[in-house]
Amino acid sequence: MLLSFVLHLLCLWHLIGVFGEMKSVSVMEEDSVTLHTEMTDISDHDVIEWTFVTESTSLVKIKVMAGSITLYDGADERFRNTLKVNHQTGDLTITHTTITHSGLYQLKTITGVSKNFNLNVYARLPVPVIIRDSSQCSSSSKCVLVCSVVNVTHVTLSWYKGNSLLSSISVSDLNSLSLPLEVEYQENNTYSCVINNPIRNQTKHLNITEVCQMCSDVIRSCDSTEAVIRLVVSALMGVAAVAAIVVLGYDIRSRRLEQKRSQTSHVLTSGH
Ligand SMILES: *[C@@H]1O[C@H](CO)[C@@H](O)[C@H](O)[C@H]1NC(C)=O
Ligand SMILES: *[C@@H]1O[C@H](CO)[C@@H](O)[C@H](O)[C@H]1NC(C)=O
Ligand SMILES: *[C@@H]1O[C@H](CO)[C@@H](O)[C@H](O)[C@H]1NC(C)=O
Ligand SMILES: *[C@@H]1O[C@H](CO)[C@@H](O)[C@H](O)[C@H]1NC(C)=O
């Protein structure tokens, strides 16, 4: 029992030794990031090596004694012209990050230092777009809006009223996102749509007058079309009415004439 516990502890110890410390580092795409060795005094006899574990690629080998630094681009050259090494500290800097630099980095020295860094490179955030949901244009005092973004990963899209969160939606894969909101025409312009990832956000403020007006224009043009149709219809009806009166008038006159004639003939016959 005790033996198994000790063995377990040893095993844990071993695992910690293998994996070393793990540090999470986040950066926005295109920005520069530095992985710090935090080694205060590097021995002259040390050899420091940085590896991109995710692709099993050696990145840097620093031989302190020999005063030599060797940089590798990686098999697919994804690190080409982006690596810098601090001669004193051994810190590794990626000067122009891309999404493909995301992954696990390992620092190892022959004196026994082992550190791991999990680097997350986040894509630039687009500014959210707010449009009116024109399929709901006809609704009376409400204006239905949609906030959307395309081509995004690992982001959350939210509607805020002032500082309070109204609703939000998240996506982890490359996708497009949209989130609806219903507002009154008379409301103050305190709404905003915010896209954010774990390190940044991008805000689009809603201008109700601007966004909701576009739709009332659509309605107005609908109205004028309707007015034209009404005009045409009533004109046709007018023509029809006139025609009917003419026909009717002719009918009445001719009937009267007939009546007169028959009365006359009646009078004539009765006169016999
Ligand atoms: C979305 O991303 C794909 C591939 O990266 C690209 O071809 C497309 O143009 C992008 N669409 C928009 C609207 O940005
Ligand atoms: C709009 O804001 C003003 C001042 O901030 C406030 O007096 C008014 O009541 C607000 N109107 C609405 C409809 O919230
Ligand atoms: C957006 O980021 C800024 C700092 O960059 C922060 O002050 C603000 O609270 C963030 N807004 C939201 C809605 O997350
Ligand atoms: C909102 O939009 C209207 C119409 O385009 C404009 O006159 C007004 O200045 C805008 N308000 C804000 C706060 O941007």
Side-chain angles (χ1 to χ4, degrees), residues 61-246:
K61 202 165 223 173
I62 307 168
K63 292 177 177 162
V64 181
M65 185 70 134
S68 76
I69 294 181
T70 317
L71 295 177
Y72 307 93
D73 291 342
D76 55 6
E77 302 202 321
R78 77 176 71 180
F79 292 99
R80 195 183 169 85
N81 300 329
T82 64
L83 297 180
K84 280 210 168 77
V85 177
N86 184 306
H87 296 223
Q88 263 80 50
T89 60
D91 291 353
L92 176 69
T93 299
I94 303 170
T95 53
H96 191 85
T97 54
T98 66
I99 303 295
T100 62
H101 294 145
S102 294
L104 196 64
Y105 292 76
Q106 190 173 60
L107 164 75
K108 273 199 160 168
T109 72
I110 54 162
T111 53
V113 174
S114 173
K115 286 181 179 172
N116 294 292
F117 299 82
N118 189 20
L119 179 66
N120 291 299
V121 183
Y122 290 97
R124 297 257 143 210
L125 294 171
V127 178
V129 174
I130 302 174
I131 56 156
R132 185 165 192 183
D133 181 356
S134 53
S135 70
Q136 313 212 23
C137 248
S138 55
S139 70
S140 53
S141 67
K142 302 274 190 187
C143 174
V144 182
L145 305 157
V146 180
C147 179
S148 55
V149 282
V150 290
N151 274 2
V152 287
T153 64
H154 299 101
V155 298
T156 301
L157 193 65
S158 317
W159 274 113
Y160 281 86
K161 183 173 187 173
N163 289 322
S164 44
L165 177 67
L166 297 177
S167 60
S168 66
I169 185 171
S170 294
V171 70
S172 57
D173 289 323
L174 189 77
N175 218 323
S176 60
L177 265 184
S178 60
L179 194 63
L181 176 75
E182 199 176 84
V183 296
E184 303 268 359
Y185 287 106
Q186 293 81 16
E187 277 183 285
N188 280 335
N189 281 319
T190 56
Y191 291 94
S192 53
C193 183
V194 179
I195 180 176
N196 71 280
N197 62 25
I199 48 176
R200 287 281 168 81
N201 67 53
Q202 191 81 260
T203 302
K204 176 77 184 174
H205 291 285
L206 166 66
N207 182 340
I208 295 180
T209 354
E210 195 173 51
V211 180
C212 289
Q213 189 191 340
M214 283 192 267
C215 194
S216 53
D217 280 347
V218 172
I219 289 174
R220 224 174 286 143
S221 75
C222 279
D223 274 355
S224 63
T225 314
E226 206 180 298
V228 168
I229 291 170
R230 274 210 199 110
L231 201 71
V232 170
V233 167
S234 51
L236 283 174
M237 281 169 75
V239 169
V242 169
I245 288 166
V246 167

